[in-house]
Amino acid sequence: MTTTAYLHPDRLLPADAATRSIARGLYERVAGAPILSPHGHVPAEWIADDVPFSDPAQLFIAGDHYVHRLLHASGVRHEQLGLGGARVDPREAWALLAEHWHRFAGTASGYWINDVLGRVFGVEEELSPATADAAYDRVAAALLDPGFRPRALLERFGIEVLATTDDPLDDLAAHRRIAEDDAVATRVLPTFRPDAYLDPEHPAFLRSATRLLDGRPASWRAYLVALAEQRARFAEHGGVSVDIGMIAPTTLRTDETDADAILQRALAGEATAQEAARLRAYGLYESARQSTEDGLVLTVHTGVRRNHHAPTLAAIGPDGGHDIPVAAEYTENLRPLLEDFGLHPQLHLVLFAMDETLFSRELAPLAGFYPSVFIGAPWWFLDAPDSIQRFRAATTETAGFYRGSGFIDDTRAFLSIPARHDMARRSDAAHLARLVAEGRITRTTAERIADDLVDAVPRTAFKL
Amino acid sequence: MTTTAYLHPDRLLPADAATRSIARGLYERVAGAPILSPHGHVPAEWIADDVPFSDPAQLFIAGDHYVHRLLHASGVRHEQLGLGGARVDPREAWALLAEHWHRFAGTASGYWINDVLGRVFGVEEELSPATADAAYDRVAAALLDPGFRPRALLERFGIEVLATTDDPLDDLAAHRRIAEDDAVATRVLPTFRPDAYLDPEHPAFLRSATRLLDGRPASWRAYLVALAEQRARFAEHGGVSVDIGMIAPTTLRTDETDADAILQRALAGEATAQEAARLRAYGLYESARQSTEDGLVLTVHTGVRRNHHAPTLAAIGPDGGHDIPVAAEYTENLRPLLEDFGLHPQLHLVLFAMDETLFSRELAPLAGFYPSVFIGAPWWFLDAPDSIQRFRAATTETAGFYRGSGFIDDTRAFLSIPARHDMARRSDAAHLARLVAEGRITRTTAERIADDLVDAVPRTAFKL
Amino acid sequence: MTTTAYLHPDRLLPADAATRSIARGLYERVAGAPILSPHGHVPAEWIADDVPFSDPAQLFIAGDHYVHRLLHASGVRHEQLGLGGARVDPREAWALLAEHWHRFAGTASGYWINDVLGRVFGVEEELSPATADAAYDRVAAALLDPGFRPRALLERFGIEVLATTDDPLDDLAAHRRIAEDDAVATRVLPTFRPDAYLDPEHPAFLRSATRLLDGRPASWRAYLVALAEQRARFAEHGGVSVDIGMIAPTTLRTDETDADAILQRALAGEATAQEAARLRAYGLYESARQSTEDGLVLTVHTGVRRNHHAPTLAAIGPDGGHDIPVAAEYTENLRPLLEDFGLHPQLHLVLFAMDETLFSRELAPLAGFYPSVFIGAPWWFLDAPDSIQRFRAATTETAGFYRGSGFIDDTRAFLSIPARHDMARRSDAAHLARLVAEGRITRTTAERIADDLVDAVPRTAFKL
């Protein structure tokens, strides 16, 4: 990939010259390593059908809620960006991004877009009102080129593994087509995402749970069996993990009579908030138990108020950029689960946090004792260079480098996947180089760790 | 202003030579820019009457609770410092500060006092028991000089805007006199601070609310109208903002029957703690609604237990240095307010935190979506160089540099205003220089941001 | 002590050459200063009886839950390490440590073990599968040498004060023997640890409380008198402090009728969770009152869920490496205590946190006002180089350098005591050097602070 003037070759490496030199050596070892992306949101259909990307505005703005949220905060209305079904001239939406580009300076999104424009599209000048049209033209032209379709890019980007996120009743037809197509070298894996089935307060619960039961009697036991069957189907299609998001990760050992009653009330739309919370807690606990049986990795993220601004949800749908974090807790919430399954050799439990106070207080101590617990990479509001430095500093001293998940891009912005992994590799090189420069680890040890962080570590955590 | 030996010309700039050179260039662009101080606690009377400052001890110690709190923690009794009405020889109080000066090393107060002594008064040696008398004499002599009166200093300091903080029923006579006096170039703006009117548990509530109603029937609607009238009066006198402090910023959509009943019970001194909390939540919600109507900026600070040590409150009154932070929350608390008014173009809501866990978890995500939300500068326990670096690192990657309030000095210590803004300018230059040195933004972009942080950013947030 | 290739002479000092040079100068001033260890877990019997250390595996692994917890997290079973009464070949357990040694890179334990192997035992190559046997042999041989017994090491390490942690009814015979033995120059002080007497939910409460009362009527007043008597006995044996750990440090002014009733119900094994919490709150409050009378320093730590994994507790007993932190709070919890005793000249209250959000939010503000409050050094999950930098940055700007406890090693791993204090000295030198390099304090001031941090500061906080 090309490098342009606004992409400093040593970007994200430490300023101190001696430390930077160490960091550069570490980064160069792993810069070209295959990308393992065990959790993300690229639709499998894009790859199965090798769908061409649409226009630059759709690609960089409407399709990326990191981007349109900050434009919205800057006073741009969603309609101006083509959200909520509005029709816009993509060149005009692009011009708005260029007009506000200085507002992205220092942000993760700004960094990624620079990287994508420069390295993927060869745009030579940084975005600005003056360069907007030329950049638009260059990107638009490239998108017509077959070399910029998903399959060609998968190969160009060196993506060895790419996980999607899917509804438990998804037919996985796209995954099947990809698997049967020798032209795709990437392993494209489905991920089982049962939130709508475990949370009676989820807007899709009633429809989802009814479809899942498919006429079976509505007992908790039957419900769990139905979930297990679908998990098994995902595993048959190459799936390695189950992903659950809950605002609070409470876990409870199942009281079957209670769970039966709540499930039935929930199917009648009558579960109270307390009952819903209890069913979620049973569901998370049982999901871990199922992992001890089928070996699927369980990833958990918590502490976010989804769709904070109801009018925006109504206008443009979910993932509108207004999911806002709240304080989170794992130590007490997960205790029943960990007491019962925390030492089970089949369980891998990857814990993510958007509340960075968990890094040193809970994640590192839990992963520093339980062989089943892996520290999830910093993500969502924390998947950025300084946040990664804080994450490493807050977790390494207790848990070292080998109790983590490896970098997770968690993205639907397909084109930014290499930029994100490259950012993580540079950031980890910077962190390791500092430890070497401060005489805390040897350079040889740092080299081994740098290699493992992009290979052995994610392969172990996600059983790849 | 002069620079003395203990004031390093490159203070607060990064140690790494190359990064420091970039930082110095950025700092020099803004070092002399006019000061915009849109929130603070200097009394308007000081300027209206051009009151000479009293002795050095009153000025630096008794008048600054940052200073006397740490002396108190070091074993000095409040009476020894002239607090609570005690009579002391100011030279002896000053000697206590000098005796304990090493305890201020590394603190924000220590930094500011060094800056004021050196740059404002030209004291040439750092404070110590050996230099105490000479420094006292120099400061005391200067304070007799008309050049050290408030109006002369406003001009010398280059203060373009200075906001005071005022009771909603303040007659604003001092502000009027200043506005009518052509000799004062500074815009001195009143700030509407309705805490005593919105919180039934505030010691002054009964008196304040009764005066506000002034015989009108005690309905919630009438009460809100009375507040709106006073807000309008503040706006007429140049006021741009309303400032509310609450230990928890809960907001509730008004249930008028409930609010009427609580108001009446509160006026009878009979509101329960739960009722008081509900009235505060209605009051904060309605304050935002009023801002959508009159356009006054709403600043909110939360998470502090005022007057933690009751015996000290009794002895020396409020603002005694023992307001202690507690864990705080905005995401859930502000949701009703933001759902209803968060996209209103007239609302500017500046959110301050003393609990720095809010920086990355709540403030940056909220300000990264809602155009009405601005991230308040780090203040009170966090208005210091390292805290500012943490603040920038924790908020920029999500929200960039343009969703903030600009620096807020929040001080009554008039003489330290330039020291505080200078600290912020140096700290921001240091942060920006690191981003340049790490290849994350270009130097040109950093220059634009440095300029905007002391000008466009506060002017936008506070509608100056 | 020797230095080996893997122990960089400038380890933990900043990478920037100019800053490192300042740091080195500061470190060298204090590198050889006597060690004051006012809180730790070395058994007094080891010194009284000058017990030889057992084999290397017992010494470095089974005896150090920081070490066996991370091995356990890495998939090693406790039985393989000789825990829970399992018999193992120590050389095989040692080989497991060597096999997993890369997992300790960057951890506090990894740093300490390197330091101990290199500086105490003169092992010349870093641990690895290839060097495991040679290192084992060297350590095992040394342990047979009288120069490696506790008393010889106390002298070699320059430990001037060493506090143990003891049950309130401990007969302190070992302490008496040490005190009467002129061959021991170190002051070995008992520490009064009343947790089992103040918490009805503590597994040892019933037995402990019954023994303490020793037939006296079970009134709260009598119970407090009995505790005070034992505190006095500890003071007679040189004890300087009382140490209390509670998951939440609630304090309540005693309601004697209530306390009597709870105590009696607790002695009958019938106290509810709410009652137990209330008795703990009375107990913490009264412990502070007793400190105002007998002058014993009160250290408090909070926010940890002990024995998170019940099956492991059953298998290997307490301190098994699965005490996991939770969110903590001091501001509101300690308010009754601080209102009543916070200004008492006899009270020294040292507050420790495993939740680092407390550093800037609560600890520094409390210690920045109350003369009785001292900020506990970062410990337990935070007693490591980067954590120490965060701690200093988060507390210094509010409270300076003189409101802390001095470094606390809090360890049972006797051999690592010098490594831990050396780490703290290097880390503080690094922090101070940065402040000097950034022009925030002068080098002269930094030198005074560096000296005081290992001497005047802990002597003051712990009344040594």
Side-chain angles (χ1 to χ4, degrees):
Chain A
M1 299 183 188
T2 56
T3 293
T4 65
Y6 62 92
L7 288 182
H8 194 294
D10 283 337
R11 59 193 181 280
L12 305 188
L13 305 188
D16 175 70
T19 314
R20 173 168 292 191
S21 163
I22 300 167
R24 195 186 295 125
L26 294 170
Y27 167 65
E28 282 168 358
R29 296 175 68 89
V30 298
I35 288 176
L36 305 175
S37 176
H39 181 82
H41 294 273
V42 171
E45 287 73 18
W46 291 5
I47 295 151
D49 303 331
D50 206 22
V51 187
F53 292 104
S54 53
D55 62 81
Q58 174 62 35
L59 184 59
F60 281 87
I61 305 171
D64 187 342
H65 60 73
Y66 277 65
V67 176
H68 66 67
R69 76 195 309 282
L70 190 51
L71 286 173
H72 179 258
S74 305
V76 179
R77 282 171 293 105
H78 285 132
E79 310 87 87
Q80 296 174 274
L81 302 171
L83 289 157
R87 300 276 296 263
V88 290
D89 176 346
R91 192 179 290 270
E92 283 178 22
W94 183 262
L96 287 168
L97 178 62
E99 177 190 336
H100 291 285
W101 186 240
H102 59 291
R103 299 178 190 275
F104 287 81
T107 66
S109 295
Y111 180 87
W112 295 325
I113 290 179
N114 272 342
D115 195 307
V116 174
L117 289 177
R119 291 207 299 154
V120 180
F121 292 100
V123 172
E124 285 179 14
E125 289 189 89
E126 190 171 358
L127 197 59
S128 76
T131 66
D133 270 338
Y136 185 90
D137 290 338
R138 178 148 198 151
V139 173
L143 294 179
L144 300 176
D145 182 331
F148 285 82
R149 290 205 181 177
R151 289 185 172 197
L153 290 174
L154 272 183
E155 191 177 334
R156 177 177 165 194
F157 292 166
I159 299 179
E160 179 185 322
V161 172
L162 182 73
T164 63
T165 295
D166 310 276
D167 187 276
L169 294 178
D170 188 291
D171 64 10
L172 304 181
H175 290 83
R176 206 160 39 238
R177 273 188 290 144
I178 299 166
E180 289 165 358
D181 188 337
D182 291 344
V184 181
T186 302
R187 289 170 59 193
V188 179
L189 316 176
T191 300
F192 189 84
R193 177 70 178 265
D195 293 16
Y197 299 77
L198 298 179
D199 177 8
E201 296 181 321
H202 193 288
F205 176 79
L206 203 55
R207 183 169 48 83
S208 303
T210 305
R211 281 184 64 213
L212 178 67
L213 280 168
D214 193 24
R216 289 186 247 198
S219 76
W220 181 238
R221 190 174 294 260
Y223 199 73
L224 293 174
V225 168
L227 283 165
E229 288 168 2
Q230 301 304 330
R231 287 170 60 127
R233 191 170 58 85
F234 271 61
E236 282 160 22
H237 286 77
V240 297
S241 74
V242 171
D243 178 53
I244 296 181
M246 285 184 174
I247 193 163
T250 321
T251 55
L252 278 175
R253 293 182 183 94
T254 303
D255 170 332
E256 232 169 287
T257 313
D258 188 42
D260 282 345
I262 299 174
L263 180 63
Q264 282 149 25
R265 288 175 56 77
L267 287 166
E270 291 171 353
T272 64
Q274 286 71 25
E275 288 171 336
R278 226 151 59 236
L279 201 71
R280 287 194 295 268
Y282 295 147
L284 182 51
Y285 176 87
E286 292 295 340
S287 295
R289 181 206 295 279
Q290 294 187 345
S291 285
T292 66
E293 291 161 0
D294 63 20
L296 289 173
V297 174
L298 184 57
T299 63
V300 178
H301 39 103
T302 187
V304 67
R305 171 58 62 197
R306 302 266 174 188
N307 306 308
H308 192 264
H309 188 252
T312 296
L313 173 65
I316 67 167
D319 298 320
H322 51 105
D323 294 346
I324 308 286
V326 297
E329 209 277 343
Y330 277 124
T331 302
E332 301 284 22
N333 279 322
L334 292 183
R335 204 173 174 205
L337 185 163
L338 286 170
E339 284 205 326
D340 293 355
F341 312 122
L343 305 195
H344 195 288
Q346 286 267 74
L347 181 65
H348 282 200
L349 184 63
V350 183
L351 303 178
F352 293 99
M354 269 153 291
D355 173 356
E356 60 181 296
T357 70
L358 300 181
F359 290 165
S360 71
R361 190 180 67 216
E362 306 183 22
L363 294 188
L366 286 167
F369 173 75
Y370 287 103
S372 61
V373 174
F374 293 81
I375 304 173
W379 77 348
W380 212 0
F381 302 115
L382 300 172
D383 50 357
D386 283 339
S387 302
I388 291 174
Q389 297 306 331
R390 295 199 299 278
F391 167 81
R392 287 282 176 217
T395 59
T396 302
E397 294 182 328
T398 288
F401 287 98
Y402 286 86
R403 302 295 307 130
S405 68
F407 181 69
I408 302 291
D409 58 66
D410 188 32
T411 195
R412 184 183 174 89
F414 181 74
L415 288 164
S416 74
I417 290 175
R420 291 169 192 248
H421 285 262
D422 184 71
M423 174 198 74
R425 292 168 185 192
R426 290 172 180 273
S427 297
D428 283 341
H431 178 68
L432 287 164
R434 180 169 66 82
L435 296 194
V436 173
E438 292 175 3
R440 293 162 65 177
I441 59 176
T442 62
R443 195 185 286 233
T444 309
T445 298
E447 289 171 352
R448 175 179 181 172
I449 294 171
D451 293 351
D452 287 347
L453 286 177
V454 300
D455 187 3
V457 165
R459 286 190 206 280
T460 299
F462 279 92
K463 304 184 179 180
L464 296 176
Chain B
M1 300 182 187
T2 56
T3 294
T4 65
Y6 61 93
L7 289 182
H8 194 293
D10 283 336
R11 61 193 179 281
L12 305 189
L13 306 188
D16 175 69
T19 314
R20 173 168 293 189
S21 164
I22 300 167
R24 195 186 295 125
L26 295 170
Y27 168 65
E28 282 168 358
R29 295 175 69 88
V30 298
I35 288 175
L36 304 175
S37 176
H39 181 82
H41 294 273
V42 170
E45 288 72 19
W46 290 6
I47 294 151
D49 303 330
D50 206 23
V51 187
F53 292 104
S54 54
D55 62 82
Q58 174 62 36
L59 184 58
F60 281 87
I61 305 171
D64 188 342
H65 59 74
Y66 277 66
V67 175
H68 65 68
R69 75 195 310 281
L70 189 52
L71 286 172
H72 179 258
S74 305
V76 178
R77 282 171 293 106
H78 285 132
E79 311 86 88
Q80 295 175 276
L81 301 172
L83 289 156
R87 300 277 295 265
V88 291
D89 176 345
R91 191 179 291 269
E92 284 178 22
W94 183 263
L96 286 168
L97 178 62
E99 178 190 335
H100 291 284
W101 187 240
H102 59 292
R103 299 178 190 276
F104 287 80
T107 67
S109 295
Y111 180 87
W112 295 324
I113 290 179
N114 273 342
D115 195 308
V116 174
L117 289 177
R119 291 207 300 155
V120 180
F121 291 99
V123 173
E124 286 177 14
E125 290 189 88
E126 190 172 357
L127 197 59
S128 76
T131 66
D133 269 339
Y136 184 92
D137 291 339
R138 177 145 198 152
V139 173
L143 294 179
L144 300 176
D145 182 332
F148 285 81
R149 290 207 182 177
R151 291 184 170 199
L153 290 174
L154 272 184
E155 191 177 336
R156 177 177 165 194
F157 293 165
I159 299 178
E160 179 185 323
V161 172
L162 182 71
T164 62
T165 296
D166 310 276
D167 187 276
L169 295 178
D170 189 289
D171 64 10
L172 304 181
H175 290 83
R176 206 160 39 238
R177 273 188 290 142
I178 298 166
E180 290 166 357
D181 188 337
D182 292 343
V184 183
T186 304
R187 288 169 59 192
V188 179
L189 317 176
T191 300
F192 189 84
R193 176 72 177 263
D195 293 15
Y197 299 76
L198 297 179
D199 177 8
E201 295 182 320
H202 193 288
F205 175 80
L206 204 54
R207 184 170 46 82
S208 302
T210 305
R211 281 185 64 213
L212 179 67
L213 280 168
D214 192 25
R216 290 186 246 199
S219 76
W220 181 238
R221 191 174 293 260
Y223 199 73
L224 292 174
V225 168
L227 283 165
E229 288 169 2
Q230 300 305 329
R231 287 171 59 128
R233 191 171 57 84
F234 271 62
E236 284 160 22
H237 286 77
V240 296
S241 73
V242 171
D243 179 53
I244 297 182
M246 286 186 173
I247 192 164
T250 321
T251 55
L252 277 175
R253 294 182 182 95
T254 302
D255 169 334
E256 230 169 289
T257 312
D258 187 44
D260 282 346
I262 298 176
L263 180 63
Q264 281 149 25
R265 288 174 56 77
L267 287 166
E270 290 171 355
T272 64
Q274 285 72 22
E275 289 171 335
R278 225 149 61 236
L279 201 72
R280 288 194 295 268
Y282 295 146
L284 182 51
Y285 176 88
E286 292 294 340
S287 294
R289 181 205 297 278
Q290 293 187 345
S291 284
T292 65
E293 292 161 359
D294 63 20
L296 289 173
V297 175
L298 183 58
T299 63
V300 178
H301 39 102
T302 186
V304 67
R305 171 58 63 197
R306 302 266 174 188
N307 306 307
H308 191 264
H309 189 252
T312 296
L313 173 64
I316 68 167
D319 297 320
H322 51 105
D323 294 345
I324 309 286
V326 296
E329 209 279 343
Y330 277 124
T331 301
E332 301 284 22
N333 279 322
L334 291 183
R335 205 173 173 204
L337 185 163
L338 287 170
E339 284 206 325
D340 293 355
F341 313 123
L343 305 195
H344 196 288
Q346 285 266 71
L347 180 64
H348 282 199
L349 183 64
V350 183
L351 303 179
F352 293 100
M354 271 153 289
D355 174 355
E356 58 181 298
T357 71
L358 300 181
F359 289 166
S360 70
R361 190 180 66 216
E362 306 183 23
L363 294 188
L366 286 166
F369 172 77
Y370 287 103
S372 62
V373 174
F374 294 80
I375 305 173
W379 77 350
W380 213 0
F381 301 114
L382 299 172
D383 51 356
D386 283 338
S387 303
I388 290 175
Q389 297 306 331
R390 295 199 299 278
F391 167 80
R392 286 281 177 218
T395 59
T396 301
E397 294 182 327
T398 289
F401 288 98
Y402 287 85
R403 302 295 307 133
S405 68
F407 182 69
I408 303 290
D409 58 67
D410 187 34
T411 193
R412 185 184 174 89
F414 180 75
L415 287 165
S416 74
I417 290 175
R420 291 170 192 248
H421 286 261
D422 184 70
M423 174 198 73
R425 291 166 185 194
R426 290 172 179 272
S427 297
D428 283 340
H431 178 67
L432 287 164
R434 181 170 65 81
L435 296 193
V436 173
E438 293 175 3
R440 294 163 64 178
I441 59 176
T442 62
R443 194 185 289 233
T444 309
T445 298
E447 288 171 353
R448 175 178 180 173
I449 294 170
D451 293 352
D452 288 346
L453 286 177
V454 301
D455 188 0
V457 166
R459 285 190 206 280
T460 299
F462 279 92
K463 305 184 178 180
L464 296 175
Chain C
M1 301 182 186
T2 55
T3 293
T4 66
Y6 60 93
L7 289 181
H8 194 294
D10 283 338
R11 59 194 181 279
L12 305 188
L13 306 188
D16 175 70
T19 314
R20 173 168 291 191
S21 163
I22 299 167
R24 194 187 295 124
L26 295 170
Y27 168 65
E28 282 168 0
R29 295 175 69 88
V30 299
I35 288 176
L36 304 175
S37 176
H39 180 81
H41 294 274
V42 171
E45 289 72 18
W46 291 4
I47 294 151
D49 303 331
D50 206 22
V51 186
F53 292 104
S54 54
D55 62 82
Q58 174 61 35
L59 184 59
F60 281 88
I61 305 171
D64 188 342
H65 60 73
Y66 277 65
V67 176
H68 65 68
R69 75 195 310 282
L70 190 51
L71 286 173
H72 178 258
S74 305
V76 179
R77 282 171 293 106
H78 286 131
E79 310 86 86
Q80 295 175 275
L81 302 171
L83 289 157
R87 299 278 295 264
V88 290
D89 177 344
R91 192 178 289 268
E92 284 177 22
W94 183 262
L96 287 167
L97 179 62
E99 179 191 334
H100 291 284
W101 186 241
H102 60 290
R103 299 179 189 276
F104 287 81
T107 67
S109 295
Y111 180 87
W112 295 326
I113 290 178
N114 272 342
D115 195 308
V116 174
L117 289 178
R119 291 206 301 153
V120 180
F121 291 100
V123 173
E124 286 179 13
E125 289 189 90
E126 191 171 358
L127 197 59
S128 75
T131 65
D133 269 338
Y136 185 91
D137 291 339
R138 178 146 197 153
V139 173
L143 294 179
L144 301 176
D145 182 331
F148 285 82
R149 290 206 181 177
R151 290 185 172 197
L153 289 174
L154 273 183
E155 192 176 334
R156 177 177 165 196
F157 293 165
I159 299 178
E160 180 184 321
V161 172
L162 182 72
T164 62
T165 295
D166 310 276
D167 187 276
L169 294 177
D170 189 291
D171 64 9
L172 303 181
H175 290 84
R176 205 159 40 237
R177 273 189 291 142
I178 298 166
E180 289 165 357
D181 188 337
D182 291 344
V184 182
T186 303
R187 289 170 59 192
V188 179
L189 316 176
T191 300
F192 190 83
R193 176 72 177 264
D195 294 14
Y197 300 77
L198 298 180
D199 177 9
E201 296 182 319
H202 193 287
F205 176 79
L206 204 55
R207 182 170 48 82
S208 303
T210 306
R211 282 183 64 212
L212 178 67
L213 279 169
D214 192 24
R216 289 186 245 197
S219 76
W220 182 238
R221 190 174 292 261
Y223 199 73
L224 293 173
V225 168
L227 283 165
E229 288 169 1
Q230 301 305 331
R231 287 170 59 127
R233 191 171 59 85
F234 271 62
E236 282 160 21
H237 285 78
V240 297
S241 74
V242 171
D243 178 53
I244 297 181
M246 285 183 174
I247 192 164
T250 322
T251 55
L252 278 175
R253 294 181 183 95
T254 303
D255 170 334
E256 230 168 290
T257 312
D258 187 44
D260 283 346
I262 299 175
L263 180 63
Q264 283 149 23
R265 288 174 54 77
L267 288 165
E270 291 171 354
T272 64
Q274 286 70 23
E275 289 171 336
R278 227 152 58 236
L279 201 71
R280 288 195 294 270
Y282 296 147
L284 182 51
Y285 176 88
E286 292 295 340
S287 295
R289 182 206 295 278
Q290 293 186 347
S291 284
T292 66
E293 291 161 0
D294 63 20
L296 289 174
V297 174
L298 183 58
T299 63
V300 177
H301 39 103
T302 187
V304 67
R305 171 59 62 195
R306 302 267 175 188
N307 306 308
H308 192 264
H309 190 252
T312 296
L313 173 64
I316 68 167
D319 297 320
H322 50 106
D323 294 347
I324 310 286
V326 296
E329 209 280 343
Y330 276 125
T331 301
E332 301 283 21
N333 279 322
L334 291 183
R335 203 172 174 206
L337 185 164
L338 287 170
E339 284 206 326
D340 293 355
F341 312 122
L343 306 195
H344 195 289
Q346 286 267 73
L347 180 65
H348 282 200
L349 183 64
V350 183
L351 303 179
F352 293 99
M354 270 153 291
D355 174 355
E356 59 181 297
T357 71
L358 299 181
F359 290 165
S360 71
R361 190 180 66 217
E362 305 183 22
L363 294 188
L366 286 167
F369 173 76
Y370 287 103
S372 61
V373 174
F374 293 81
I375 304 173
W379 78 349
W380 212 0
F381 302 114
L382 299 172
D383 50 356
D386 284 338
S387 303
I388 291 175
Q389 297 305 332
R390 295 198 298 278
F391 167 81
R392 286 282 176 219
T395 59
T396 301
E397 294 182 327
T398 288
F401 287 98
Y402 287 86
R403 302 295 307 133
S405 67
F407 182 70
I408 303 291
D409 58 67
D410 187 34
T411 194
R412 184 184 174 90
F414 181 74
L415 287 165
S416 74
I417 290 176
R420 291 169 192 250
H421 285 261
D422 183 71
M423 175 197 73
R425 291 167 186 192
R426 290 172 179 271
S427 298
D428 282 341
H431 178 69
L432 287 164
R434 180 170 66 82
L435 296 194
V436 173
E438 293 175 3
R440 293 163 64 178
I441 59 176
T442 62
R443 195 186 287 234
T444 309
T445 298
E447 289 171 352
R448 175 179 180 172
I449 293 170
D451 293 353
D452 287 346
L453 286 177
V454 300
D455 188 2
V457 166
R459 285 189 205 281
T460 299
F462 280 93
K463 305 184 178 181
L464 297 175

